Amino acid sequence: MTNTLIFVDLATDDPAAAGDFYARVFGWENDARPHGIYHRMVPGGFFQNKDGSDSAIGNLHLGIFDAGNARPHPDPAGVEPRKLSSEGRKARIWILVGDDDDHNRILATAEELGGTILWRNHYWREFNGYNHAFADPWGNEIVLWVKAGENPAVPDDYTRE
């Protein structure tokens, strides 16, 4: 397969704190490489086959880099810009909530650790999923995806599209 997506990186001004945030919110391994410079969040496990068994494909990782000196780069001092983007739209990261977790716990933990709830309780019929979103303390937008299943009973308080 050509041009395979392997990582998505989030910018922060404190990679160690961001690594701890994502480890606590999602239960992922915080793999500092090296600590405070770049953190690789390791969800663990494998993508599942249709029958629920593990496939040979490991889950993608999320990288967290220091906006002040984004590595790797040929110049050891890095280059501008050295600050977090604060205006306009940014990339969004979509997280499929596992059957053994709950979007309410995730949102509450994110908020407790300094995240901001952006919206919740939305059903997207096109992809048959319940969605909720928060911004991490560095402004990155995270959208939660909860499988709705066959013939979903969408709660009355959910918006729909």
Side-chain angles (χ1 to χ4, degrees), residues 11-12 37 43 47 53 58-59 69-70 76 90 94 104 107 111 119 122 126 129:
T12 179
I37 304 297
F47 285 101
S53 63
N59 284 320
N69 189 353
K90 299 183 199 179
W94 292 77
N104 288 311
L107 292 169
E111 192 170 40
W119 48 269
H122 182 73
E126 179 70 23

Side-chain angles (χ1 to χ4, degrees), residues 10-159:
L10 296 179
T12 179
D13 56 6
D14 190 343
D20 183 57
F21 176 88
Y22 283 100
R24 292 178 60 190
V25 169
F26 291 113
W28 296 340
E29 178 187 342
N30 180 5
D31 183 19
R33 310 205 42 196
H35 187 270
I37 304 297
Y38 187 87
H39 287 243
R40 181 179 73 152
M41 304 311 299
V42 184
F46 293 85
F47 285 101
Q48 291 187 341
N49 294 312
K50 288 185 179 187
D51 67 2
S53 63
D54 285 344
S55 74
I57 303 167
N59 284 320
L60 301 175
H61 301 309
L62 176 71
I64 299 173
F65 72 95
D66 183 355
N69 189 353
R71 310 305 317 151
H73 192 276
D75 183 344
V79 295
E80 295 295 335
R82 296 180 186 276
K83 61 183 181 183
L84 297 173
S85 176
S86 60
E87 295 184 26
R89 286 280 179 200
K90 299 183 199 179
R92 298 183 301 174
I93 305 301
W94 292 77
I95 304 296
L96 177 63
V97 176
D99 295 337
D100 60 346
D101 206 346
D102 177 74
H103 69 277
N104 288 311
R105 186 213 56 83
I106 292 169
L107 292 169
T109 303
E111 192 170 40
E112 175 186 317
L113 297 174
T116 303
I117 306 302
L118 300 174
W119 48 269
R120 57 172 70 222
N121 301 348
H122 182 73
Y123 174 68
W124 195 1
R125 186 179 70 187
E126 179 70 23
F127 295 100
N128 193 28
Y130 301 122
N131 306 131
H132 318 273
F134 68 89
D136 72 12
W138 302 274
N140 298 298
E141 187 174 346
I142 309 301
V143 182
L144 302 179
W145 186 278
V146 179
K147 293 180 258 181
E150 282 191 49
N151 303 312
V154 181
D156 290 338
D157 65 331
Y158 274 52
T159 55

